[in-house]
Amino acid sequence: MKTNLHGLLLYCRPGFERECAQEIADRCGEAGHLVEVQAEANSGWVEARAEGGALWALTRVLRWQDLCFARQLLWSGRTVEGMSPGDRVTPVVEAARALCDGYSDFLIETPDTDGAKSLSSMTKKLEPHMGEALEQAGAFTDDPSAPRLHVLFTAADRATVALSWPNRRSEWLNGIPRLRMPREAPSRSTLKLAEAFHTLLSEDEQERLLKPGMTAVDLGAAPGGWTWQLVSRHIHVTAVDNGRMNPELLESGLVIHKREDGFRFVPRKPVDWLVCDMVEQPRRVAALVARWIAQGLCQHAIFNLKLPMKRRYDELQLCTDLIGEALASVDKKHELRCRQLYHDREEVTCYLGVPGKAGGGRKRKR
Ligand code: SAM
């Protein structure tokens, strides 16, 4: 397959371009390739340039699933600028044909910024015309392993063409999961845990590790959005929080409410899951979760790390190092996966589990 890659293109939460840029530069560096990263503050995307050979080598190493701050990982071609409103199709199709000679399908996307949202009515109208023109130009193939074409409009007259590889990308449009807010859930943060299950666990893990009858502790549970996710899977929850829990959840018969300090609470018997959404210093939470896994108090944990405004990337690195060292000191193998979810704000959500109990999947550090 002929490809003419210019660089890497990543989507991220607006305001987190610096972290996304730092992370991709580090991952490429670890793979032995230097990249030149460009990131405009609050744009919602990051570009990294390297020579063609390095980019091609990186396609075999980098996966979106292994990145924390990127919502999507693409391989970019040309940026078309100065398009006339009368014909945006022809120059984009030309750029797409120059990037790769066979796509499985295509998406038109925009960054997750208020400015770019105004482009979505234009891109919706454009989509059928673009599809027809790509079809006529012979840009599609039936090969399911072929890349997908992404056309990222960053202004009404500017678009970058890019491609993504199956199994190494987010399948969501704009890299943003569309999850339905359950009406009965007591808080919107329920979507955070729902998204964490979807994106931090494989489908097989979701089935194996979230079974009716399992047990969990929810630290910082009130009013109960995370507990609700567990209860809806018929998991028994001990909800630890001085705050008030949703009364309907308590009536489910699956929840015990303990008004205690989450840092001091110890379960009488080990549980399958620990989930933790306490607003606390990230390294304190990281140390707490590492201790639960090290002492065998739980097998799996999902927890939120609220990052400070400054040095967020360094703080996350410090937390993952802290967990790695705590578990290495008791010779406990583990898997740690961290991701800034769409439903996260100034924070990231992580999965920590004991391998074998969690199966394969994305690994960050051991
Ligand atoms: N996950 C919850 C939900 O989905 O409804 C929301 C949790 S809210 C962001 C944070 C909670 O952590 C608050 O209810 C607060 O009372 C609790 N919290 C903070 N520090 C705590 C501690 N040391 N022990 C127990 N709970 C704590």
Side-chain angles (χ1 to χ4, degrees):
M1 176 179 299
K2 181 201 85 187
T3 52
N4 186 11
L5 307 175
H6 288 213
L8 289 156
L9 179 64
L10 302 106
Y11 303 167
C12 65
R13 181 179 182 83
F16 278 79
E17 294 78 14
R18 207 149 58 104
E19 289 71 18
C20 185
Q22 267 178 292
E23 183 176 39
I24 196 64
D26 279 359
R27 293 294 93 79
C28 293
E30 284 160 17
H33 299 285
L34 280 181
V35 291
E36 190 191 319
V37 190
Q38 287 176 358
E40 191 186 313
N42 299 312
S43 63
W45 55 280
V46 166
E47 237 186 335
R49 299 266 170 199
E51 48 90 17
L55 289 170
W56 190 246
L58 285 166
T59 61
R60 284 177 227 117
V61 193
L62 295 178
R63 300 184 331 144
W64 160 76
Q65 292 90 331
D66 299 325
L67 299 170
C68 175
F69 291 100
R71 288 179 180 172
Q72 184 58 285
L73 169 66
L74 307 175
W75 304 84
S76 61
R78 225 157 40 79
T79 296
V80 184
E81 297 191 80
M83 277 182 274
S84 92
D87 182 14
R88 294 181 173 97
V89 170
T90 309
V92 169
V93 171
E94 273 172 20
R97 297 292 286 139
L99 170 61
C100 175
D101 57 8
Y103 299 103
S104 59
D105 55 351
F106 89 108
L107 293 174
I108 301 187
E109 304 185 301
T110 51
D112 182 24
T113 58
D114 291 339
K117 275 184 194 119
S118 63
L119 297 173
S120 60
S121 65
M122 181 272 286
T123 56
K124 264 194 201 113
K125 279 189 211 138
L126 198 60
E127 200 160 334
H129 302 293
M130 191 81 80
E132 209 172 295
L134 286 163
E135 187 80 59
Q136 276 175 11
F140 294 121
T141 161
D142 290 336
D143 179 357
S145 67
R148 170 178 293 158
L149 169 65
H150 299 250
V151 183
L152 176 72
F153 271 87
T154 49
D157 66 347
R158 190 176 60 236
T160 300
V161 293
L163 57 81
S164 64
W165 303 99
N167 306 321
R168 291 175 175 269
R169 65 184 174 213
S170 161
E171 293 298 332
W172 298 97
L173 181 74
N174 299 322
I176 298 178
R178 307 274 157 201
L179 301 180
R180 189 185 61 82
M181 172 69 198
R183 249 189 303 145
E184 324 75 50
S187 68
R188 277 199 72 76
S189 35
T190 199
L191 291 174
K192 235 186 271 180
L193 190 59
E195 187 184 347
F197 286 150
H198 278 297
T199 60
L200 293 173
L201 303 180
S202 67
E203 275 179 28
D204 170 61
E205 286 169 343
Q206 288 173 53
E207 232 169 78
R208 276 190 303 111
L209 304 181
L210 295 165
K211 283 206 184 122
M214 282 184 158
T215 52
V217 168
D218 182 354
L219 299 179
W226 285 32
T227 293
W228 187 90
Q229 286 292 333
L230 296 160
V231 166
S232 70
R233 291 166 171 84
H234 306 282
I235 293 172
H236 296 264
V237 184
T238 304
V240 181
D241 201 308
N242 272 320
R244 184 175 173 274
M245 287 295 287
N246 173 282
E248 281 161 36
L249 261 183
L250 297 178
E251 281 164 21
S252 69
L254 288 171
V255 182
I256 297 170
H257 184 192
K258 300 265 187 194
R259 291 183 187 273
E260 289 183 36
D261 179 353
F263 286 93
R264 290 165 179 258
F265 176 81
V266 181
R268 264 194 290 144
K269 277 201 286 179
V271 290
D272 297 298
W273 278 93
L274 168 68
V275 298
C276 174
D277 190 23
M278 290 188 286
V279 183
E280 251 299 339
Q281 278 184 30
R283 52 189 93 173
R284 241 193 125 194
V285 172
L288 174 76
V289 174
R291 181 167 61 77
W292 275 62
I293 292 279
Q295 294 180 351
L297 296 176
C298 66
Q299 296 297 338
H300 312 282
I302 286 183
F303 54 101
N304 198 263
L305 297 176
K306 322 277 175 195
L307 297 177
M309 276 311 285
K310 286 187 188 155
R311 304 178 68 82
R312 296 182 291 207
Y313 185 77
D314 294 343
E315 185 67 29
L316 176 60
Q317 194 64 45
L318 193 144
C319 289
T320 59
D321 286 351
L322 187 155
I323 291 171
E325 282 156 25
L327 294 180
S329 72
V330 291
D331 213 12
K332 195 131 189 171
K333 286 215 170 102
H334 65 281
E335 270 189 39
L336 178 57
R337 309 163 188 171
C338 299
R339 168 158 295 281
Q340 186 175 39
L341 306 173
Y342 173 67
H343 293 95
D344 280 336
R345 289 169 187 259
E346 309 290 309
E347 56 200 338
V348 298
T349 302
C350 306
Y351 163 81
L352 179 64
V354 180
K357 313 280 180 188
R362 23 202 101 108
K363 298 176 187 81
R364 187 180 161 87
K365 211 153 200 206
R366 264 169 204 237

